[in-house]
Each structure stands twice: as C-alpha cells, then as structure tokens.
Amino acid sequence: RRLLEEDGRIHLCIACRNVQKSEATRNLILAAHPAAQVSTVEVDLGNLAAVLRVARELRCRFQRLDFVYLNAGIMPNPHVNFKALWHGLLTGKLLHMLTTAEGVMTQTDRLNGDGLQEVFATNLFGHFILVRQLESLLCGNEKPSRLIWTSSSNARESAFSLSDYQHAKGQESYSSSKYATDLTSVVLNRKFNEQGLYSSVVCPGLVMSNMTYGILPVFLWKLLMPIMWLIRFFAKTYTLTPYNGAEAHVWLFKQKPEYLDALVKYHSCTSGLGKNYVEPRRMDVDEETAEEFYQKLLELEKQTLERYSDLLD
Ligand SMILES: NC(=O)C1=CN([C@@H]2O[C@H](COP(=O)(O)OP(=O)(O)OC[C@H]3O[C@@H](n4cnc5c(N)ncnc54)[C@H](OP(=O)(O)O)[C@@H]3O)[C@@H](O)[C@H]2O)C=CC1
Ligand SMILES: CC(C)CCC[C@@H](C)[C@H]1CC[C@H]2C3=CC[C@H]4[C@H](C)C(=O)CC[C@]4(C)[C@H]3CC[C@]12C
C-alpha cells in the first residue's frame, strides 16, 4: 500500500504461500487504490519445486521486474533467555540486547522436505533460487532492477559459519540466516551491478507481527506496549508497527541504486515522538567470506537444478 502511495502506476504482484491471504491483501489494497494493478502468485519459498514453478510462471507473465521485495521469513520455536536480559541490565548491555537480541534468543530448526535446514531454506535459499531463476527479467533492462531483502539487526557473524552455513548444529538459525542474507546481497552487487541489478538489505526494526506473536503471547506484547513506547526514546529501531517498519523499504524504492552503498544495511527507525526515518549502518561483513559462501550457494543451486531438471525450460 505504501508503494502505491508513492507511485500509483506500478503493477504490484503479491507472492504468497497462502492463496486466501494474498487475495485478502489484494482486496484490501484495491479498496484503498481502486485503479491499481494488483496480481497474485502462489509460492512456498521453503519448497524448491514450488520456487522453480513460480519463477517459470513469472517469466511467462512479465517481461521485466523493477523491484523484488524478498521479505518472507520464519523464526520457528523461539526461546527467550530472560536471565540474559537481566544480566544485560547489570552489565550495561541491555539496550544493545533489546535492539539486536544478541545472546537473548535461540530457536530449534529442522530439516524441510528438500533435506535442507528449514530456516536457511525459507529465509535465504528459496529467495536466492528465485532471484537466479528470474535473472532474465532482472538484468539488462533499460532501467536498473532492484532486490530488497528484509534482513535483521539480529544478523550476527558469530552465529554464522562457512562449514555449517545452514546452521544445522547451533541454536541461532535465524541470526545465521540473516547474516547469510547480508553476505549474499554484498556478492550479488559485485556480480550483477554491471548488468543493471542492484541488491540492498533492510532491517524493519522490532515490529509487532505474527513472528513476534510467536515469541511472546499477544496480550503480553499489548501489556508491554507502554514500556516499548518509552524504550523507543532510546531505541529508535522500536518501530513497532508494520507501517513504520516498512520505512526503509519505501525509502529505497525512491533512491537511485547507483548512489547506494552495498556494504550498508538500511534500518527503519521511529523517534520517541513517532517520526519515521531511515538510518544507514555499515555491515560487519568480510567480503572474502561472502565470496566463499556465494560459491557454496552456487554448488547447492547446481544440485537443486539437477534434481528438478524437469521443472526448467
Ligand atoms: N517482526 C520483526 O520484529 C522483524 C522481522 N524481520 C523480518 O521481516 C520479515 C517479515 O516478517 P514479519 O512480518 O515480522 O513476520 P510475519 O510472520 O508476520 O511475516 C512473515 C511472512 O513470510 C511469509 N512466509 C513465511 N514462510 C514462507 C514460505 N515458506 N513461503 C512463502 N511465504 C512465507 C509468511 O506467510 P504466511 O502469512 O503464510 O505465514 C508471512 O507473510 C521476515 O523476513 C523477518 O525475518 C526482521 C527484523 C525484525
Ligand atoms: C520490554 C520488552 C521489550 C521485553 C521483551 C523481551 C524480548 C521478548 C524482546 C527483546 C528484544 C526483542 C527482539 C529484538 C530484535 C528482533 C530482531 C531484529 C528480529 O529480526 C526478530 C525479532 C527480534 C529478535 C526481537 C524478538 C523479541 C525480543 C527478543
């Protein structure tokens, strides 16, 4: 909806795994923008066959894509370590913990139907395969095309390891998948800028959504709301609503990609008085690690394409 407010002429295609939800979203958007062009497409990003199928469908439907928002993400079985928060209070690290959740959250991951770690597959690899399969719609256009990944301030190098890039062994699969997203975006820029494709990563800040409602119950978040409004005076990434959280996504929509820094993450922020703005912050990524990781993604992509060769053109 915010993108249509910026430019009512765009054709918006909503990719969703749940057909009812995408239709309901389409109807909501059309209620606010009756003349808008809004279509939907079904895809489960945690299922590689479905990703290859949807890429084929998109290649048939569109000649080019100007923006691809890679937003789907999961955090299964989250666990909050309240003791760590208490320790953070005593050691002066509380604010950092409240904005990055460093040392505060763990998750339990599992294998998906493709034999991949579910969080890695959904948060990164499904999107990666989609982007690679859409290369013909994204590269070599008159105007540059853009990828905008929803990463997180929870992305952390120490949670990621090249030897276990799917994070099968640890308990911070979410943090690892978001760090892997940051690495991937950096390399995509290096490989594809010359062909007119630019990639950026954003963090929406702490937003009340189904993801956070899976961490603490809704009623508790509602009770905590006055405290979070107060925290916002010190932690500007407490955007709290999806509208505020989308600030960086919308801001990037209006920027010339040639002027953006590939090593920066764009954070949606909201001031204590409720004003939205975007803060660019340098990412803690090692470019050599990023390149090595990219090669591993390409290897996994090769295996995927061999396995599903019947779904390729
Ligand atoms: N909420 C927060 O505080 C923060 C969120 N983020 C990131 O923002 C993004 C959006 O999350 P948020 O809105 O908070 O959480 P939600 O759980 O509300 O939204 C996640 C979205 O991803 C979709 N999704 C999940 N798995 C798949 C899949 N396999 N295939 C297709 N779609 C899928 C969900 O679809 P469905 O509705 O069908 O479940 C849903 O629309 C995520 O990448 C998250 O990591 C980053 C920083 C902070
Ligand atoms: C007074 C309240 C704010 C106490 C709530 C405690 C915890 C449940 C939350 C404190 C910090 C939160 C988070 C921080 C970073 C988010 C990150 C950017 C993200 O991508 C997903 C959600 C977060 C991990 C979020 C989750 C809840 C907290 C740990």
Side-chain angles (χ1 to χ4, degrees):
R1 244 185 292 174
R2 287 195 63 180
L3 294 181
L4 278 165
E5 280 159 23
E6 294 298 329
D7 183 351
R9 297 161 307 168
I10 59 172
H11 180 140
L12 195 65
C13 179
I14 309 169
C16 213
R17 63 177 161 180
N18 179 323
V19 181
Q20 275 110 14
K21 277 193 186 177
S22 53
E23 275 308 316
T25 307
R26 180 173 178 271
N27 292 337
L28 267 176
I29 294 172
L30 286 176
H33 299 270
Q37 296 180 70
V38 187
S39 57
T40 59
V41 76
E42 188 184 340
V43 60
D44 177 348
L45 282 148
N47 176 334
L48 292 170
V51 173
L52 293 172
R53 265 187 235 112
V54 82
R56 190 156 67 181
E57 192 175 337
L58 291 169
R59 285 196 302 265
C60 291
R61 278 205 218 170
F62 299 104
Q63 281 175 338
R64 60 162 223 274
L65 295 173
D66 297 326
F67 285 84
V68 181
Y69 283 89
L70 303 154
N71 179 64
I74 54 168
M75 185 197 274
N77 313 308
H79 176 81
V80 183
N81 182 349
F82 286 100
K83 256 196 203 160
L85 277 176
W86 178 245
H87 190 250
L89 178 68
L90 301 177
T91 53
K93 288 190 191 145
L94 185 63
L95 199 58
H96 178 71
M97 284 179 164
L98 286 176
T99 48
T100 62
E102 183 171 345
V104 175
M105 292 226 54
T106 52
Q107 304 86 35
T108 330
D109 201 359
R110 58 172 189 184
L111 289 180
N112 73 0
D114 289 308
L116 302 174
Q117 290 300 136
E118 192 180 22
V119 175
F120 163 81
T122 310
N123 293 7
L124 174 69
F125 194 60
H127 294 97
F128 177 74
I129 292 291
L130 182 67
V131 168
R132 297 271 300 164
Q133 289 292 308
L134 295 177
E135 222 172 283
S136 57
L137 307 189
L138 294 166
C139 294
N141 297 322
E142 211 176 292
K143 252 176 52 186
S145 291
R146 314 276 304 274
L147 303 176
I148 297 174
W149 300 79
T150 308
S151 178
S152 165
S153 55
N154 187 241
R156 228 179 50 257
E157 187 181 10
S158 59
F160 176 83
S161 139
L162 270 178
S163 58
D164 180 26
Y165 62 85
Q166 293 193 36
H167 204 86
K169 296 191 189 121
Q171 287 197 301
E172 293 178 283
S173 50
Y174 182 80
S175 192
S176 167
S177 73
K178 294 299 181 182
Y179 188 73
T181 301
D182 297 349
L183 295 178
T184 306
S185 176
V186 168
V187 183
L188 285 172
N189 278 313
R190 207 185 298 144
K191 309 261 181 222
F192 290 101
N193 280 179
E194 273 180 15
Q195 296 170 61
L197 176 63
Y198 291 80
S199 176
S200 309
V201 282
V202 308
C203 175
L206 178 64
V207 172
M208 292 304 110
S209 67
N210 285 340
M211 181 175 282
T212 37
Y213 296 150
I215 297 171
L216 295 180
V218 182
F219 82 90
L220 201 50
W221 282 117
K222 294 227 183 299
L223 284 176
L224 287 170
M225 201 47 88
I227 300 177
M228 292 196 289
W229 281 325
L230 281 179
I231 296 177
R232 193 191 253 178
F233 280 95
F234 311 97
K236 45 217 177 211
T237 54
Y238 271 45
T239 48
L240 302 179
T241 66
Y243 183 96
N244 296 345
E247 190 66 19
H249 300 77
V250 177
W251 182 83
L252 280 170
F253 181 71
K254 298 184 277 187
Q255 306 307 309
K256 277 210 178 305
E258 297 87 344
Y259 300 138
L260 297 171
D261 187 338
L263 292 171
V264 154
K265 186 179 289 174
Y266 296 90
H267 293 253
S268 297
C269 294
T270 306
S271 72
L273 296 177
K275 191 176 173 336
N276 288 330
Y277 61 99
V278 175
E279 197 173 273
R281 291 189 199 159
R282 204 151 190 84
M283 290 192 281
D284 169 27
V285 292
D286 170 39
E287 296 203 44
E288 234 172 79
T289 310
E291 183 62 47
E292 272 183 66
F293 175 54
Y294 192 81
Q295 292 311 318
K296 288 183 187 282
L297 286 180
L298 292 183
E299 260 170 53
L300 197 57
E301 177 194 45
K302 193 166 159 241
Q303 290 167 22
T304 303
L305 299 186
E306 275 166 14
R307 184 167 169 198
Y308 293 110
S309 55
D310 52 319
L311 294 173
L312 305 173
D313 289 336

Coordinates of all heavy atoms in Angstrom, one line a residue, residues 15-18 21 43-47 70-74 122-123 150-153 174 178 203-212, ligand 1:
A15 N 3.4 -12.2 -4.0 CA 3.8 -13.7 -4.0 C 3.6 -14.2 -2.6 O 4.2 -13.6 -1.6 CB 5.2 -13.9 -4.4
C16 N 2.7 -15.2 -2.4 CA 2.3 -15.6 -1.1 C 2.1 -17.1 -1.1 O 1.7 -17.7 -2.1 CB 1.0 -14.9 -0.8 SG 0.6 -14.5 0.9
R17 N 2.3 -17.8 0.0 CA 2.1 -19.3 0.0 C 0.6 -19.6 0.3 O 0.2 -20.7 0.0 CB 3.0 -20.0 1.0 CG 2.7 -19.6 2.5 CD 3.6 -20.4 3.4 NE 3.6 -19.7 4.7 CZ 4.3 -20.2 5.7 NH1 5.0 -21.3 5.6 NH2 4.3 -19.5 6.9
N18 N -0.1 -18.6 0.8 CA -1.5 -18.8 1.2 C -2.4 -18.0 0.3 O -2.4 -16.8 0.3 CB -1.6 -18.4 2.6 CG -3.0 -18.6 3.2 OD1 -4.0 -18.4 2.5 ND2 -3.1 -19.0 4.4
K21 N -4.9 -15.5 1.8 CA -4.2 -14.3 2.4 C -3.8 -13.4 1.3 O -4.0 -12.2 1.4 CB -2.9 -14.7 3.2 CG -3.2 -15.1 4.6 CD -1.9 -15.2 5.4 CE -2.1 -15.7 6.8 NZ -0.9 -15.8 7.5
V43 N 3.4 -19.1 -4.0 CA 4.7 -19.8 -3.8 C 5.0 -20.1 -2.4 O 4.8 -19.2 -1.5 CB 5.9 -18.9 -4.4 CG1 6.0 -17.5 -3.8 CG2 7.2 -19.6 -4.4
D44 N 5.6 -21.3 -2.1 CA 6.1 -21.6 -0.8 C 7.6 -21.6 -1.0 O 8.2 -22.4 -1.6 CB 5.6 -23.0 -0.5 CG 6.2 -23.5 0.9 OD1 7.1 -22.8 1.4 OD2 5.7 -24.5 1.4
L45 N 8.2 -20.5 -0.3 CA 9.7 -20.3 -0.5 C 10.5 -21.4 0.2 O 11.7 -21.5 -0.1 CB 10.1 -18.9 -0.1 CG 9.7 -17.9 -1.1 CD1 9.3 -16.6 -0.5 CD2 10.8 -17.7 -2.1
G46 N 9.9 -22.2 1.0 CA 10.6 -23.3 1.6 C 10.5 -24.6 0.8 O 10.9 -25.7 1.3
N47 N 10.0 -24.5 -0.4 CA 9.8 -25.7 -1.2 C 10.4 -25.4 -2.6 O 9.9 -24.6 -3.4 CB 8.3 -26.0 -1.3 CG 8.0 -27.1 -2.2 OD1 8.7 -27.5 -3.2 ND2 6.9 -27.8 -2.0
L70 N 12.2 -9.2 -1.1 CA 12.4 -10.6 -0.6 C 12.2 -10.5 0.9 O 13.1 -10.3 1.7 CB 13.8 -11.0 -1.0 CG 14.0 -11.0 -2.5 CD1 15.5 -10.8 -2.9 CD2 13.4 -12.2 -3.2
N71 N 10.9 -10.7 1.3 CA 10.5 -10.4 2.7 C 10.2 -11.6 3.6 O 10.2 -11.5 4.8 CB 9.3 -9.5 2.6 CG 8.8 -9.1 4.0 OD1 9.5 -8.4 4.7 ND2 7.6 -9.5 4.3
A72 N 9.8 -12.8 2.9 CA 9.3 -13.9 3.7 C 10.4 -14.4 4.7 O 11.6 -14.4 4.3 CB 8.9 -15.0 2.8
G73 N 10.0 -14.7 5.9 CA 11.0 -15.2 6.9 C 10.3 -15.9 8.0 O 9.1 -15.6 8.3
I74 N 11.0 -16.8 8.6 CA 10.4 -17.6 9.7 C 11.4 -17.6 10.9 O 12.6 -17.5 10.7 CB 10.1 -19.0 9.4 CG1 11.3 -19.8 8.7 CG2 8.9 -19.1 8.4 CD1 11.1 -21.3 8.6
T122 N 14.1 -21.3 3.9 CA 13.0 -20.3 3.7 C 13.5 -18.9 3.7 O 13.1 -18.0 2.9 CB 12.0 -20.4 4.9 OG1 11.6 -21.8 5.0 CG2 10.8 -19.6 4.7
N123 N 14.4 -18.5 4.7 CA 14.8 -17.1 4.8 C 15.8 -16.7 3.7 O 15.9 -15.6 3.4 CB 15.5 -16.9 6.2 CG 14.5 -17.0 7.3 OD1 13.3 -17.4 7.1 ND2 14.9 -16.7 8.5
T150 N 14.6 -8.3 3.2 CA 14.4 -8.0 4.6 C 15.3 -8.8 5.5 O 15.1 -10.0 5.7 CB 12.9 -8.2 5.0 OG1 12.1 -7.6 4.1 CG2 12.6 -7.7 6.4
S151 N 16.4 -8.1 6.0 CA 17.3 -8.8 6.9 C 16.9 -8.4 8.3 O 15.7 -8.2 8.6 CB 18.7 -8.3 6.5 OG 19.7 -8.9 7.4
S152 N 17.9 -8.3 9.2 CA 17.6 -8.0 10.6 C 18.8 -7.5 11.3 O 19.9 -7.9 10.9 CB 17.1 -9.3 11.2 OG 17.1 -9.2 12.6
S153 N 18.5 -6.7 12.4 CA 19.7 -6.3 13.2 C 20.1 -7.5 14.1 O 21.1 -7.4 14.8 CB 19.3 -5.1 14.1 OG 18.2 -5.4 14.8
Y174 N 18.1 -18.4 13.0 CA 17.6 -17.1 12.4 C 18.7 -16.1 12.2 O 18.8 -15.5 11.1 CB 16.5 -16.6 13.4 CG 15.8 -15.3 12.9 CD1 14.8 -15.3 12.0 CD2 16.2 -14.1 13.4 CE1 14.2 -14.2 11.6 CE2 15.6 -12.9 13.0 CZ 14.6 -12.9 12.1 OH 14.0 -11.8 11.7
K178 N 20.1 -14.6 8.6 CA 20.0 -13.2 8.2 C 21.5 -12.7 7.9 O 21.6 -11.8 7.1 CB 19.4 -12.3 9.4 CG 17.9 -12.6 9.6 CD 17.1 -12.3 8.4 CE 15.6 -12.6 8.6 NZ 14.8 -12.3 7.4
C203 N 16.6 -3.5 7.7 CA 16.0 -4.1 8.9 C 14.8 -3.3 9.2 O 14.9 -2.0 9.4 CB 17.0 -4.1 10.0 SG 16.3 -4.6 11.6
P204 N 13.6 -3.9 9.4 CA 12.4 -3.1 9.7 C 12.3 -2.7 11.2 O 11.4 -1.9 11.5 CB 11.3 -4.1 9.4 CG 11.9 -5.5 9.6 CD 13.4 -5.3 9.2
G205 N 13.3 -3.1 12.0 CA 13.2 -2.8 13.4 C 12.3 -3.8 14.1 O 11.8 -4.8 13.5
L206 N 12.0 -3.6 15.4 CA 11.1 -4.5 16.1 C 9.7 -4.2 15.8 O 9.2 -3.1 16.1 CB 11.4 -4.4 17.6 CG 10.4 -5.3 18.5 CD1 10.7 -6.8 18.2 CD2 10.6 -5.0 20.0
V207 N 9.0 -5.1 15.1 CA 7.7 -4.9 14.6 C 6.7 -5.9 15.2 O 7.1 -7.1 15.2 CB 7.6 -5.0 13.0 CG1 6.2 -5.0 12.5 CG2 8.5 -4.0 12.4
M208 N 5.5 -5.5 15.6 CA 4.5 -6.4 16.1 C 3.9 -7.1 14.8 O 3.3 -6.5 14.0 CB 3.4 -5.7 16.8 CG 3.9 -5.1 18.2 SD 4.7 -6.4 19.2 CE 6.4 -5.9 19.2
S209 N 4.2 -8.4 14.7 CA 3.7 -9.2 13.6 C 3.5 -10.6 14.1 O 3.8 -11.0 15.2 CB 4.8 -9.2 12.5 OG 5.9 -9.9 13.0
N210 N 3.1 -11.5 13.1 CA 2.9 -12.9 13.5 C 4.2 -13.5 14.1 O 4.2 -14.4 15.0 CB 2.4 -13.8 12.4 CG 1.0 -13.5 12.1 OD1 0.2 -13.0 13.0 ND2 0.5 -13.8 10.9
M211 N 5.4 -13.0 13.6 CA 6.6 -13.5 14.1 C 6.8 -13.2 15.6 O 7.1 -14.0 16.4 CB 7.8 -12.9 13.3 CG 9.1 -13.5 13.7 SD 10.5 -12.9 12.6 CE 10.3 -13.9 11.3
T212 N 6.6 -11.9 15.9 CA 6.8 -11.5 17.3 C 5.7 -12.2 18.2 O 5.9 -12.5 19.4 CB 6.9 -10.0 17.5 OG1 5.9 -9.4 16.6 CG2 8.2 -9.5 17.3
Ligands
LIG1 N1 8.9 -8.6 13.2 C1 10.1 -8.2 13.5 O1 10.4 -7.6 14.6 C2 11.2 -8.3 12.5 C3 11.0 -9.0 11.3 N2 12.0 -9.1 10.4 C4 11.9 -9.8 9.1 O2 10.8 -9.3 8.5 C5 10.2 -10.2 7.5 C6 8.7 -10.3 7.7 O3 8.4 -10.8 9.0 P1 7.2 -10.3 9.9 O4 6.3 -9.5 9.1 O5 7.7 -9.7 11.1 O6 6.6 -11.7 10.3 P2 5.3 -12.5 9.8 O7 5.4 -13.9 10.3 O8 4.1 -11.7 10.1 O9 5.5 -12.5 8.2 C7 6.3 -13.4 7.6 C8 5.8 -13.5 6.2 O10 6.6 -14.5 5.5 C9 5.7 -15.4 4.9 N3 6.4 -16.8 4.8 C10 6.9 -17.5 5.8 N4 7.3 -18.7 5.3 C11 7.1 -18.7 4.0 C12 7.2 -19.6 3.0 N5 7.8 -20.8 3.2 N6 6.8 -19.3 1.7 C13 6.2 -18.1 1.5 N7 6.0 -17.2 2.4 C14 6.4 -17.5 3.7 C15 4.5 -15.5 5.8 O11 3.5 -16.1 5.1 P3 2.2 -16.7 6.0 O12 1.4 -15.5 6.2 O13 1.6 -17.6 5.0 O14 2.7 -17.3 7.2 C16 4.4 -14.0 6.1 O15 3.7 -13.4 5.1 C17 10.9 -11.5 7.9 O16 11.9 -11.8 6.9 C18 11.5 -11.3 9.2 O17 12.7 -12.1 9.5 C19 13.3 -8.5 10.6 C20 13.5 -7.8 11.7 C21 12.5 -7.7 12.8

